[in-house]
Amino acid sequence: GENVEQHPSTLSVQEGDSAVIKCTYSDSASNYFPWYKQELGKRPQLIIDIRSNVGEKKDQRIAVTLNKTAKHFSLHITETQPEDSAVYFCAATYGQNFVFGPGTRLSVLP
Amino acid sequence: DTEVTQTPKHLVMGMTNKKSLKCEQHMGHRAMYWYKQKAKKPPELMFVYSYEKLSINESVPSRFSPECPNSSLLNLHLHALQPEDSALYLCASSLHGGTGDYGYTFGSGTRLTVV
């Protein structure tokens, strides 16, 4: 089955710096890769996604890159702010559903 | 309406109780999901309904029983739960089922404690 790995498990950055979270997946048939942000005690929220026919997508301070050959995709957050502190989950399609990565706890230090 | 609404937000139940969790969306999404999330872990899939038919049951114990009365509503009936079932139960919906290529909209969840 699909296996999604995510690194690092925790990440601390200074406010204003960039943060990068990387995920790898195993199923070459996966074709859609969403990223979710979950603040403490709240629901996961879709923040950006990318489909397999695109190599990069950007939305303001957030960007995602995809390398289908290497089966990895990454989330890039620039100019980090304290409100970016949360747990971030990557996911990859597997059949009719998603498999989530184990999550990255991002802390943005003021 | 761009939300998935879950009730109740919190639930404490005994091991002999019967209770139900409810989920509602009015975005015209045709796939609805139940996930279980333990602390510091990613959501784990429990059930998928696609066009009101149960399409995936990830080998969930029978003490959890899903129901999809119509395309906007999803219930999870709980009976004879164990303390280890305590978790955040998340409902989600997506535009279509069967392809997994649309993002989910998650509800706020029901935090369940079994005593």
Side-chain angles (χ1 to χ4, degrees), chain A residues 31-32 36 38 41 43-44 46 51 89 93 95-98 100-102 105, chain B residues 33 35 37 41-43 45 55-56 90 98-104 106-108:
Chain A
N31 59 5
Y32 174 67
Y36 290 87
Q38 188 173 27
R43 75 185 83 187
L46 179 68
R51 288 184 167 76
F89 294 104
T93 51
Q96 299 179 42
N97 194 39
F98 296 117
F100 285 89
R105 182 171 299 278
Chain B
Y33 311 80
Y35 276 85
Q37 188 177 28
K41 297 290 186 183
L45 181 64
S55 63
I56 298 176
L90 291 162
T99 58
D101 61 354
Y102 290 89
Y104 293 163
F106 280 96
S108 297

PDB file of all heavy atoms in Angstrom, chain A residues 31-32 36 38 41 43-44 46 51 89 93 95-98 100-102 105, chain B residues 33 35 37 41-43 45 55-56 90 98-104 106-108:
ATOM      1  N   ASN A  31      -1.682  10.902  -7.573  1.00  0.00           N
ATOM      2  CA  ASN A  31      -1.717  12.016  -8.520  1.00  0.00           C
ATOM      3  C   ASN A  31      -2.200  13.322  -7.916  1.00  0.00           C
ATOM      4  O   ASN A  31      -2.395  14.316  -8.628  1.00  0.00           O
ATOM      5  CB  ASN A  31      -2.586  11.640  -9.726  1.00  0.00           C
ATOM      6  CG  ASN A  31      -4.012  11.302  -9.306  1.00  0.00           C
ATOM      7  OD1 ASN A  31      -4.378  11.423  -8.152  1.00  0.00           O
ATOM      8  ND2 ASN A  31      -4.813  10.882 -10.271  1.00  0.00           N
ATOM      9  N   TYR A  32      -2.411  13.349  -6.602  1.00  0.00           N
ATOM     10  CA  TYR A  32      -2.893  14.573  -5.970  1.00  0.00           C
ATOM     11  C   TYR A  32      -2.315  14.630  -4.569  1.00  0.00           C
ATOM     12  O   TYR A  32      -2.339  13.636  -3.837  1.00  0.00           O
ATOM     13  CB  TYR A  32      -4.424  14.574  -5.949  1.00  0.00           C
ATOM     14  CG  TYR A  32      -5.047  15.732  -5.197  1.00  0.00           C
ATOM     15  CD1 TYR A  32      -4.927  17.030  -5.666  1.00  0.00           C
ATOM     16  CD2 TYR A  32      -5.763  15.513  -4.026  1.00  0.00           C
ATOM     17  CE1 TYR A  32      -5.503  18.092  -4.974  1.00  0.00           C
ATOM     18  CE2 TYR A  32      -6.333  16.559  -3.336  1.00  0.00           C
ATOM     19  CZ  TYR A  32      -6.203  17.845  -3.815  1.00  0.00           C
ATOM     20  OH  TYR A  32      -6.766  18.893  -3.133  1.00  0.00           O
ATOM     21  N   TYR A  36      -2.275  20.015   4.785  1.00  0.00           N
ATOM     22  CA  TYR A  36      -3.226  20.487   5.775  1.00  0.00           C
ATOM     23  C   TYR A  36      -2.469  21.107   6.947  1.00  0.00           C
ATOM     24  O   TYR A  36      -1.413  20.612   7.356  1.00  0.00           O
ATOM     25  CB  TYR A  36      -4.104  19.340   6.293  1.00  0.00           C
ATOM     26  CG  TYR A  36      -5.062  18.836   5.255  1.00  0.00           C
ATOM     27  CD1 TYR A  36      -4.689  17.849   4.358  1.00  0.00           C
ATOM     28  CD2 TYR A  36      -6.336  19.377   5.146  1.00  0.00           C
ATOM     29  CE1 TYR A  36      -5.560  17.394   3.379  1.00  0.00           C
ATOM     30  CE2 TYR A  36      -7.217  18.935   4.176  1.00  0.00           C
ATOM     31  CZ  TYR A  36      -6.814  17.948   3.299  1.00  0.00           C
ATOM     32  OH  TYR A  36      -7.675  17.514   2.323  1.00  0.00           O
ATOM     33  N   GLN A  38      -3.050  22.130  10.955  1.00  0.00           N
ATOM     34  CA  GLN A  38      -3.925  21.909  12.089  1.00  0.00           C
ATOM     35  C   GLN A  38      -3.377  22.640  13.310  1.00  0.00           C
ATOM     36  O   GLN A  38      -2.347  22.278  13.869  1.00  0.00           O
ATOM     37  CB  GLN A  38      -4.091  20.415  12.393  1.00  0.00           C
ATOM     38  CG  GLN A  38      -5.158  20.132  13.450  1.00  0.00           C
ATOM     39  CD  GLN A  38      -5.436  18.650  13.628  1.00  0.00           C
ATOM     40  OE1 GLN A  38      -4.586  17.807  13.374  1.00  0.00           O
ATOM     41  NE2 GLN A  38      -6.644  18.314  14.053  1.00  0.00           N
ATOM     42  N   GLY A  41      -6.116  21.999  18.884  1.00  0.00           N
ATOM     43  CA  GLY A  41      -7.529  21.917  19.223  1.00  0.00           C
ATOM     44  C   GLY A  41      -8.482  22.252  18.090  1.00  0.00           C
ATOM     45  O   GLY A  41      -9.690  22.360  18.306  1.00  0.00           O
ATOM     46  N   ARG A  43      -9.590  21.976  13.645  1.00  0.00           N
ATOM     47  CA  ARG A  43      -9.691  21.042  12.535  1.00  0.00           C
ATOM     48  C   ARG A  43      -8.510  21.179  11.580  1.00  0.00           C
ATOM     49  O   ARG A  43      -7.941  22.262  11.467  1.00  0.00           O
ATOM     50  CB  ARG A  43     -10.985  21.315  11.758  1.00  0.00           C
ATOM     51  CG  ARG A  43     -10.904  22.563  10.884  1.00  0.00           C
ATOM     52  CD  ARG A  43     -12.222  22.893  10.226  1.00  0.00           C
ATOM     53  NE  ARG A  43     -13.091  23.634  11.118  1.00  0.00           N
ATOM     54  CZ  ARG A  43     -14.354  23.936  10.859  1.00  0.00           C
ATOM     55  NH1 ARG A  43     -14.909  23.534   9.744  1.00  0.00           N
ATOM     56  NH2 ARG A  43     -15.069  24.621  11.718  1.00  0.00           N
ATOM     57  N   PRO A  44      -8.165  20.124  10.850  1.00  0.00           N
ATOM     58  CA  PRO A  44      -7.191  20.282   9.765  1.00  0.00           C
ATOM     59  C   PRO A  44      -7.795  21.144   8.672  1.00  0.00           C
ATOM     60  O   PRO A  44      -8.968  20.980   8.313  1.00  0.00           O
ATOM     61  CB  PRO A  44      -6.968  18.855   9.276  1.00  0.00           C
ATOM     62  CG  PRO A  44      -7.481  17.971  10.362  1.00  0.00           C
ATOM     63  CD  PRO A  44      -8.603  18.730  11.013  1.00  0.00           C
ATOM     64  N   LEU A  46      -7.165  22.638   4.696  1.00  0.00           N
ATOM     65  CA  LEU A  46      -6.401  22.559   3.453  1.00  0.00           C
ATOM     66  C   LEU A  46      -5.764  23.920   3.180  1.00  0.00           C
ATOM     67  O   LEU A  46      -6.446  24.940   3.150  1.00  0.00           O
ATOM     68  CB  LEU A  46      -7.334  22.171   2.310  1.00  0.00           C
ATOM     69  CG  LEU A  46      -6.730  22.064   0.918  1.00  0.00           C
ATOM     70  CD1 LEU A  46      -5.776  20.887   0.845  1.00  0.00           C
ATOM     71  CD2 LEU A  46      -7.824  21.929  -0.132  1.00  0.00           C
ATOM     72  N   ARG A  51      -1.382  18.948  -8.167  1.00  0.00           N
ATOM     73  CA  ARG A  51      -1.690  17.757  -8.948  1.00  0.00           C
ATOM     74  C   ARG A  51      -0.457  17.319  -9.722  1.00  0.00           C
ATOM     75  O   ARG A  51       0.463  18.111  -9.948  1.00  0.00           O
ATOM     76  CB  ARG A  51      -2.873  18.028  -9.879  1.00  0.00           C
ATOM     77  CG  ARG A  51      -4.176  18.119  -9.104  1.00  0.00           C
ATOM     78  CD  ARG A  51      -5.422  18.290  -9.947  1.00  0.00           C
ATOM     79  NE  ARG A  51      -6.621  18.070  -9.154  1.00  0.00           N
ATOM     80  CZ  ARG A  51      -7.120  18.942  -8.286  1.00  0.00           C
ATOM     81  NH1 ARG A  51      -6.528  20.098  -8.108  1.00  0.00           N
ATOM     82  NH2 ARG A  51      -8.210  18.650  -7.602  1.00  0.00           N
ATOM     83  N   PHE A  89       0.312  18.483   7.964  1.00  0.00           N
ATOM     84  CA  PHE A  89       0.232  17.119   7.436  1.00  0.00           C
ATOM     85  C   PHE A  89       0.269  17.162   5.918  1.00  0.00           C
ATOM     86  O   PHE A  89      -0.496  17.914   5.298  1.00  0.00           O
ATOM     87  CB  PHE A  89      -1.074  16.439   7.861  1.00  0.00           C
ATOM     88  CG  PHE A  89      -1.208  16.185   9.325  1.00  0.00           C
ATOM     89  CD1 PHE A  89      -2.015  16.982  10.117  1.00  0.00           C
ATOM     90  CD2 PHE A  89      -0.548  15.120   9.918  1.00  0.00           C
ATOM     91  CE1 PHE A  89      -2.155  16.749  11.479  1.00  0.00           C
ATOM     92  CE2 PHE A  89      -0.675  14.868  11.280  1.00  0.00           C
ATOM     93  CZ  PHE A  89      -1.478  15.693  12.057  1.00  0.00           C
ATOM     94  N   THR A  93      -2.741  10.714  -2.616  1.00  0.00           N
ATOM     95  CA  THR A  93      -3.867   9.851  -2.959  1.00  0.00           C
ATOM     96  C   THR A  93      -3.408   8.402  -3.020  1.00  0.00           C
ATOM     97  O   THR A  93      -2.289   8.092  -3.412  1.00  0.00           O
ATOM     98  CB  THR A  93      -4.477  10.215  -4.317  1.00  0.00           C
ATOM     99  OG1 THR A  93      -3.436  10.290  -5.295  1.00  0.00           O
ATOM    100  CG2 THR A  93      -5.225  11.517  -4.245  1.00  0.00           C
ATOM    101  N   GLY A  95      -5.628   5.038  -4.192  1.00  0.00           N
ATOM    102  CA  GLY A  95      -6.929   4.517  -4.587  1.00  0.00           C
ATOM    103  C   GLY A  95      -7.983   5.605  -4.453  1.00  0.00           C
ATOM    104  O   GLY A  95      -7.870   6.680  -5.023  1.00  0.00           O
ATOM    105  N   GLN A  96      -9.003   5.308  -3.653  1.00  0.00           N
ATOM    106  CA  GLN A  96     -10.114   6.240  -3.502  1.00  0.00           C
ATOM    107  C   GLN A  96      -9.895   7.241  -2.372  1.00  0.00           C
ATOM    108  O   GLN A  96     -10.785   8.024  -2.057  1.00  0.00           O
ATOM    109  CB  GLN A  96     -11.394   5.465  -3.213  1.00  0.00           C
ATOM    110  CG  GLN A  96     -11.790   4.506  -4.318  1.00  0.00           C
ATOM    111  CD  GLN A  96     -13.056   3.761  -3.952  1.00  0.00           C
ATOM    112  OE1 GLN A  96     -13.993   4.330  -3.423  1.00  0.00           O
ATOM    113  NE2 GLN A  96     -13.076   2.473  -4.215  1.00  0.00           N
ATOM    114  N   ASN A  97      -8.745   7.206  -1.767  1.00  0.00           N
ATOM    115  CA  ASN A  97      -8.604   7.989  -0.543  1.00  0.00           C
ATOM    116  C   ASN A  97      -7.204   8.583  -0.429  1.00  0.00           C
ATOM    117  O   ASN A  97      -6.414   8.527  -1.358  1.00  0.00           O
ATOM    118  CB  ASN A  97      -8.911   7.081   0.652  1.00  0.00           C
ATOM    119  CG  ASN A  97      -9.128   7.868   1.900  1.00  0.00           C
ATOM    120  OD1 ASN A  97      -9.731   8.938   1.893  1.00  0.00           O
ATOM    121  ND2 ASN A  97      -8.582   7.367   2.983  1.00  0.00           N
ATOM    122  N   PHE A  98      -6.934   9.182   0.716  1.00  0.00           N
ATOM    123  CA  PHE A  98      -5.621   9.752   1.000  1.00  0.00           C
ATOM    124  C   PHE A  98      -4.907   8.936   2.059  1.00  0.00           C
ATOM    125  O   PHE A  98      -5.529   8.341   2.921  1.00  0.00           O
ATOM    126  CB  PHE A  98      -5.750  11.165   1.571  1.00  0.00           C
ATOM    127  CG  PHE A  98      -6.356  12.163   0.642  1.00  0.00           C
ATOM    128  CD1 PHE A  98      -7.554  12.762   0.961  1.00  0.00           C
ATOM    129  CD2 PHE A  98      -5.725  12.512  -0.529  1.00  0.00           C
ATOM    130  CE1 PHE A  98      -8.122  13.691   0.116  1.00  0.00           C
ATOM    131  CE2 PHE A  98      -6.293  13.440  -1.385  1.00  0.00           C
ATOM    132  CZ  PHE A  98      -7.499  14.026  -1.056  1.00  0.00           C
ATOM    133  N   PHE A 100      -2.150  10.018   4.940  1.00  0.00           N
ATOM    134  CA  PHE A 100      -1.525  11.194   5.538  1.00  0.00           C
ATOM    135  C   PHE A 100      -0.124  10.867   6.021  1.00  0.00           C
ATOM    136  O   PHE A 100       0.149   9.747   6.472  1.00  0.00           O
ATOM    137  CB  PHE A 100      -2.352  11.674   6.741  1.00  0.00           C
ATOM    138  CG  PHE A 100      -3.623  12.376   6.365  1.00  0.00           C
ATOM    139  CD1 PHE A 100      -4.788  11.671   6.189  1.00  0.00           C
ATOM    140  CD2 PHE A 100      -3.646  13.746   6.197  1.00  0.00           C
ATOM    141  CE1 PHE A 100      -5.974  12.309   5.843  1.00  0.00           C
ATOM    142  CE2 PHE A 100      -4.820  14.404   5.851  1.00  0.00           C
ATOM    143  CZ  PHE A 100      -5.991  13.685   5.668  1.00  0.00           C
ATOM    144  N   GLY A 101       0.763  11.843   5.948  1.00  0.00           N
ATOM    145  CA  GLY A 101       2.042  11.729   6.616  1.00  0.00           C
ATOM    146  C   GLY A 101       1.864  11.892   8.112  1.00  0.00           C
ATOM    147  O   GLY A 101       0.794  12.293   8.577  1.00  0.00           O
ATOM    148  N   PRO A 102       2.896  11.595   8.906  1.00  0.00           N
ATOM    149  CA  PRO A 102       2.775  11.636  10.368  1.00  0.00           C
ATOM    150  C   PRO A 102       2.728  13.038  10.952  1.00  0.00           C
ATOM    151  O   PRO A 102       2.419  13.192  12.132  1.00  0.00           O
ATOM    152  CB  PRO A 102       4.027  10.887  10.843  1.00  0.00           C
ATOM    153  CG  PRO A 102       4.988  11.001   9.726  1.00  0.00           C
ATOM    154  CD  PRO A 102       4.184  11.057   8.468  1.00  0.00           C
ATOM    155  N   ARG A 105       5.456  19.378  13.449  1.00  0.00           N
ATOM    156  CA  ARG A 105       5.073  20.465  14.363  1.00  0.00           C
ATOM    157  C   ARG A 105       6.012  21.638  14.117  1.00  0.00           C
ATOM    158  O   ARG A 105       7.201  21.559  14.400  1.00  0.00           O
ATOM    159  CB  ARG A 105       5.155  20.000  15.816  1.00  0.00           C
ATOM    160  CG  ARG A 105       4.728  21.084  16.808  1.00  0.00           C
ATOM    161  CD  ARG A 105       4.597  20.535  18.210  1.00  0.00           C
ATOM    162  NE  ARG A 105       3.594  19.499  18.295  1.00  0.00           N
ATOM    163  CZ  ARG A 105       2.294  19.710  18.419  1.00  0.00           C
ATOM    164  NH1 ARG A 105       1.830  20.950  18.462  1.00  0.00           N
ATOM    165  NH2 ARG A 105       1.452  18.703  18.505  1.00  0.00           N
TER     166      ARG A 105
ATOM    167  N   TYR B  33     -16.784  11.427   4.972  1.00  0.00           N
ATOM    168  CA  TYR B  33     -15.813  10.551   5.621  1.00  0.00           C
ATOM    169  C   TYR B  33     -15.890  10.692   7.129  1.00  0.00           C
ATOM    170  O   TYR B  33     -16.172  11.774   7.653  1.00  0.00           O
ATOM    171  CB  TYR B  33     -14.387  10.941   5.196  1.00  0.00           C
ATOM    172  CG  TYR B  33     -14.175  11.111   3.711  1.00  0.00           C
ATOM    173  CD1 TYR B  33     -14.558  12.276   3.059  1.00  0.00           C
ATOM    174  CD2 TYR B  33     -13.570  10.105   2.961  1.00  0.00           C
ATOM    175  CE1 TYR B  33     -14.354  12.439   1.698  1.00  0.00           C
ATOM    176  CE2 TYR B  33     -13.357  10.263   1.597  1.00  0.00           C
ATOM    177  CZ  TYR B  33     -13.756  11.430   0.976  1.00  0.00           C
ATOM    178  OH  TYR B  33     -13.550  11.583  -0.385  1.00  0.00           O
ATOM    179  N   TYR B  35     -13.158  10.161  10.247  1.00  0.00           N
ATOM    180  CA  TYR B  35     -11.785   9.930  10.643  1.00  0.00           C
ATOM    181  C   TYR B  35     -11.694   9.934  12.166  1.00  0.00           C
ATOM    182  O   TYR B  35     -12.442  10.634  12.841  1.00  0.00           O
ATOM    183  CB  TYR B  35     -10.866  11.032  10.120  1.00  0.00           C
ATOM    184  CG  TYR B  35     -10.396  10.852   8.706  1.00  0.00           C
ATOM    185  CD1 TYR B  35     -11.168  11.276   7.634  1.00  0.00           C
ATOM    186  CD2 TYR B  35      -9.167  10.265   8.431  1.00  0.00           C
ATOM    187  CE1 TYR B  35     -10.733  11.109   6.332  1.00  0.00           C
ATOM    188  CE2 TYR B  35      -8.721  10.097   7.135  1.00  0.00           C
ATOM    189  CZ  TYR B  35      -9.506  10.525   6.089  1.00  0.00           C
ATOM    190  OH  TYR B  35      -9.071  10.361   4.792  1.00  0.00           O
ATOM    191  N   GLN B  37      -8.819  10.706  15.166  1.00  0.00           N
ATOM    192  CA  GLN B  37      -7.500  11.284  15.366  1.00  0.00           C
ATOM    193  C   GLN B  37      -7.116  11.241  16.846  1.00  0.00           C
ATOM    194  O   GLN B  37      -7.776  11.851  17.682  1.00  0.00           O
ATOM    195  CB  GLN B  37      -7.438  12.727  14.851  1.00  0.00           C
ATOM    196  CG  GLN B  37      -6.032  13.301  14.876  1.00  0.00           C
ATOM    197  CD  GLN B  37      -5.926  14.698  14.298  1.00  0.00           C
ATOM    198  OE1 GLN B  37      -6.878  15.471  14.338  1.00  0.00           O
ATOM    199  NE2 GLN B  37      -4.761  15.042  13.762  1.00  0.00           N
ATOM    200  N   LYS B  41      -1.138  12.598  16.335  1.00  0.00           N
ATOM    201  CA  LYS B  41      -1.130  11.636  15.230  1.00  0.00           C
ATOM    202  C   LYS B  41      -1.936  12.190  14.072  1.00  0.00           C
ATOM    203  O   LYS B  41      -2.791  13.054  14.264  1.00  0.00           O
ATOM    204  CB  LYS B  41      -1.742  10.303  15.685  1.00  0.00           C
ATOM    205  CG  LYS B  41      -0.981   9.604  16.777  1.00  0.00           C
ATOM    206  CD  LYS B  41       0.333   9.066  16.274  1.00  0.00           C
ATOM    207  CE  LYS B  41       1.026   8.240  17.338  1.00  0.00           C
ATOM    208  NZ  LYS B  41       2.351   7.771  16.890  1.00  0.00           N
ATOM    209  N   PRO B  42      -1.703  11.674  12.858  1.00  0.00           N
ATOM    210  CA  PRO B  42      -2.545  12.108  11.734  1.00  0.00           C
ATOM    211  C   PRO B  42      -3.919  11.463  11.820  1.00  0.00           C
ATOM    212  O   PRO B  42      -4.107  10.465  12.520  1.00  0.00           O
ATOM    213  CB  PRO B  42      -1.774  11.587  10.514  1.00  0.00           C
ATOM    214  CG  PRO B  42      -0.987  10.425  11.028  1.00  0.00           C
ATOM    215  CD  PRO B  42      -0.638  10.757  12.450  1.00  0.00           C
ATOM    216  N   PRO B  43      -4.884  12.011  11.098  1.00  0.00           N
ATOM    217  CA  PRO B  43      -6.217  11.387  11.055  1.00  0.00           C
ATOM    218  C   PRO B  43      -6.131   9.987  10.441  1.00  0.00           C
ATOM    219  O   PRO B  43      -5.398   9.762   9.479  1.00  0.00           O
ATOM    220  CB  PRO B  43      -7.024  12.331  10.159  1.00  0.00           C
ATOM    221  CG  PRO B  43      -6.280  13.636  10.193  1.00  0.00           C
ATOM    222  CD  PRO B  43      -4.838  13.279  10.343  1.00  0.00           C
ATOM    223  N   LEU B  45      -8.448   6.999   8.677  1.00  0.00           N
ATOM    224  CA  LEU B  45      -9.735   6.785   8.021  1.00  0.00           C
ATOM    225  C   LEU B  45     -10.523   5.666   8.687  1.00  0.00           C
ATOM    226  O   LEU B  45      -9.983   4.597   9.003  1.00  0.00           O
ATOM    227  CB  LEU B  45      -9.508   6.438   6.551  1.00  0.00           C
ATOM    228  CG  LEU B  45     -10.765   6.217   5.721  1.00  0.00           C
ATOM    229  CD1 LEU B  45     -11.580   7.509   5.630  1.00  0.00           C
ATOM    230  CD2 LEU B  45     -10.398   5.704   4.349  1.00  0.00           C
ATOM    231  N   SER B  55     -18.419   2.945   0.759  1.00  0.00           N
ATOM    232  CA  SER B  55     -17.494   2.390  -0.218  1.00  0.00           C
ATOM    233  C   SER B  55     -16.218   1.867   0.422  1.00  0.00           C
ATOM    234  O   SER B  55     -15.565   1.013  -0.119  1.00  0.00           O
ATOM    235  CB  SER B  55     -17.145   3.442  -1.278  1.00  0.00           C
ATOM    236  OG  SER B  55     -16.476   4.545  -0.696  1.00  0.00           O
ATOM    237  N   ILE B  56     -15.858   2.394   1.582  1.00  0.00           N
ATOM    238  CA  ILE B  56     -14.658   1.909   2.248  1.00  0.00           C
ATOM    239  C   ILE B  56     -14.942   1.802   3.740  1.00  0.00           C
ATOM    240  O   ILE B  56     -15.450   2.728   4.354  1.00  0.00           O
ATOM    241  CB  ILE B  56     -13.453   2.850   2.058  1.00  0.00           C
ATOM    242  CG1 ILE B  56     -13.080   2.973   0.586  1.00  0.00           C
ATOM    243  CG2 ILE B  56     -12.251   2.358   2.861  1.00  0.00           C
ATOM    244  CD1 ILE B  56     -11.973   3.963   0.320  1.00  0.00           C
ATOM    245  N   LEU B  90     -13.373  13.192  13.460  1.00  0.00           N
ATOM    246  CA  LEU B  90     -13.510  14.223  12.437  1.00  0.00           C
ATOM    247  C   LEU B  90     -14.369  13.717  11.287  1.00  0.00           C
ATOM    248  O   LEU B  90     -14.180  12.611  10.801  1.00  0.00           O
ATOM    249  CB  LEU B  90     -12.131  14.597  11.879  1.00  0.00           C
ATOM    250  CG  LEU B  90     -11.194  15.341  12.823  1.00  0.00           C
ATOM    251  CD1 LEU B  90      -9.755  15.247  12.329  1.00  0.00           C
ATOM    252  CD2 LEU B  90     -11.615  16.788  12.963  1.00  0.00           C
ATOM    253  N   GLY B  98     -14.399   8.446  -4.825  1.00  0.00           N
ATOM    254  CA  GLY B  98     -13.924   7.459  -5.771  1.00  0.00           C
ATOM    255  C   GLY B  98     -12.668   7.831  -6.500  1.00  0.00           C
ATOM    256  O   GLY B  98     -12.045   7.004  -7.138  1.00  0.00           O
ATOM    257  N   THR B  99     -12.267   9.096  -6.413  1.00  0.00           N
ATOM    258  CA  THR B  99     -11.052   9.479  -7.109  1.00  0.00           C
ATOM    259  C   THR B  99      -9.993  10.006  -6.146  1.00  0.00           C
ATOM    260  O   THR B  99      -8.815   9.934  -6.434  1.00  0.00           O
ATOM    261  CB  THR B  99     -11.324  10.560  -8.162  1.00  0.00           C
ATOM    262  OG1 THR B  99     -11.913  11.689  -7.507  1.00  0.00           O
ATOM    263  CG2 THR B  99     -12.256  10.042  -9.228  1.00  0.00           C
ATOM    264  N   GLY B 100     -10.410  10.499  -5.027  1.00  0.00           N
ATOM    265  CA  GLY B 100      -9.470  10.995  -4.035  1.00  0.00           C
ATOM    266  C   GLY B 100      -8.636  12.150  -4.507  1.00  0.00           C
ATOM    267  O   GLY B 100      -7.557  12.397  -3.988  1.00  0.00           O
ATOM    268  N   ASP B 101      -9.082  12.863  -5.541  1.00  0.00           N
ATOM    269  CA  ASP B 101      -8.244  13.934  -6.058  1.00  0.00           C
ATOM    270  C   ASP B 101      -8.828  15.310  -5.820  1.00  0.00           C
ATOM    271  O   ASP B 101      -8.554  16.252  -6.545  1.00  0.00           O
ATOM    272  CB  ASP B 101      -7.924  13.717  -7.542  1.00  0.00           C
ATOM    273  CG  ASP B 101      -9.177  13.701  -8.399  1.00  0.00           C
ATOM    274  OD1 ASP B 101     -10.282  13.735  -7.829  1.00  0.00           O
ATOM    275  OD2 ASP B 101      -9.039  13.661  -9.624  1.00  0.00           O
ATOM    276  N   TYR B 102      -9.652  15.422  -4.823  1.00  0.00           N
ATOM    277  CA  TYR B 102     -10.121  16.717  -4.365  1.00  0.00           C
ATOM    278  C   TYR B 102      -9.833  16.811  -2.877  1.00  0.00           C
ATOM    279  O   TYR B 102      -9.953  15.825  -2.155  1.00  0.00           O
ATOM    280  CB  TYR B 102     -11.622  16.876  -4.595  1.00  0.00           C
ATOM    281  CG  TYR B 102     -11.995  16.995  -6.050  1.00  0.00           C
ATOM    282  CD1 TYR B 102     -12.272  15.864  -6.801  1.00  0.00           C
ATOM    283  CD2 TYR B 102     -12.061  18.233  -6.668  1.00  0.00           C
ATOM    284  CE1 TYR B 102     -12.613  15.964  -8.130  1.00  0.00           C
ATOM    285  CE2 TYR B 102     -12.405  18.344  -7.994  1.00  0.00           C
ATOM    286  CZ  TYR B 102     -12.679  17.210  -8.729  1.00  0.00           C
ATOM    287  OH  TYR B 102     -13.009  17.308 -10.045  1.00  0.00           O
ATOM    288  N   GLY B 103      -9.500  18.008  -2.432  1.00  0.00           N
ATOM    289  CA  GLY B 103      -9.200  18.176  -1.012  1.00  0.00           C
ATOM    290  C   GLY B 103     -10.432  18.029  -0.163  1.00  0.00           C
ATOM    291  O   GLY B 103     -11.555  18.209  -0.621  1.00  0.00           O
ATOM    292  N   TYR B 104     -10.204  17.689   1.072  1.00  0.00           N
ATOM    293  CA  TYR B 104     -11.291  17.560   2.027  1.00  0.00           C
ATOM    294  C   TYR B 104     -11.587  18.900   2.672  1.00  0.00           C
ATOM    295  O   TYR B 104     -10.701  19.719   2.860  1.00  0.00           O
ATOM    296  CB  TYR B 104     -10.899  16.645   3.176  1.00  0.00           C
ATOM    297  CG  TYR B 104     -10.678  15.205   2.863  1.00  0.00           C
ATOM    298  CD1 TYR B 104      -9.983  14.416   3.776  1.00  0.00           C
ATOM    299  CD2 TYR B 104     -11.145  14.601   1.717  1.00  0.00           C
ATOM    300  CE1 TYR B 104      -9.758  13.084   3.536  1.00  0.00           C
ATOM    301  CE2 TYR B 104     -10.921  13.261   1.468  1.00  0.00           C
ATOM    302  CZ  TYR B 104     -10.227  12.506   2.383  1.00  0.00           C
ATOM    303  OH  TYR B 104     -10.005  11.187   2.154  1.00  0.00           O
ATOM    304  N   PHE B 106     -12.804  19.592   6.395  1.00  0.00           N
ATOM    305  CA  PHE B 106     -13.020  18.914   7.667  1.00  0.00           C
ATOM    306  C   PHE B 106     -13.977  19.707   8.543  1.00  0.00           C
ATOM    307  O   PHE B 106     -13.985  20.949   8.512  1.00  0.00           O
ATOM    308  CB  PHE B 106     -11.705  18.775   8.434  1.00  0.00           C
ATOM    309  CG  PHE B 106     -10.833  17.630   7.979  1.00  0.00           C
ATOM    310  CD1 PHE B 106      -9.817  17.845   7.068  1.00  0.00           C
ATOM    311  CD2 PHE B 106     -11.027  16.353   8.477  1.00  0.00           C
ATOM    312  CE1 PHE B 106      -9.002  16.797   6.650  1.00  0.00           C
ATOM    313  CE2 PHE B 106     -10.214  15.300   8.072  1.00  0.00           C
ATOM    314  CZ  PHE B 106      -9.202  15.526   7.148  1.00  0.00           C
ATOM    315  N   GLY B 107     -14.753  18.988   9.341  1.00  0.00           N
ATOM    316  CA  GLY B 107     -15.501  19.606  10.416  1.00  0.00           C
ATOM    317  C   GLY B 107     -14.588  19.857  11.604  1.00  0.00           C
ATOM    318  O   GLY B 107     -13.423  19.446  11.611  1.00  0.00           O
ATOM    319  N   SER B 108     -15.131  20.532  12.625  1.00  0.00           N
ATOM    320  CA  SER B 108     -14.340  20.868  13.809  1.00  0.00           C
ATOM    321  C   SER B 108     -14.107  19.672  14.718  1.00  0.00           C
ATOM    322  O   SER B 108     -13.269  19.728  15.610  1.00  0.00           O
ATOM    323  CB  SER B 108     -15.028  21.979  14.604  1.00  0.00           C
ATOM    324  OG  SER B 108     -15.107  23.157  13.840  1.00  0.00           O
TER     325      SER B 108
END
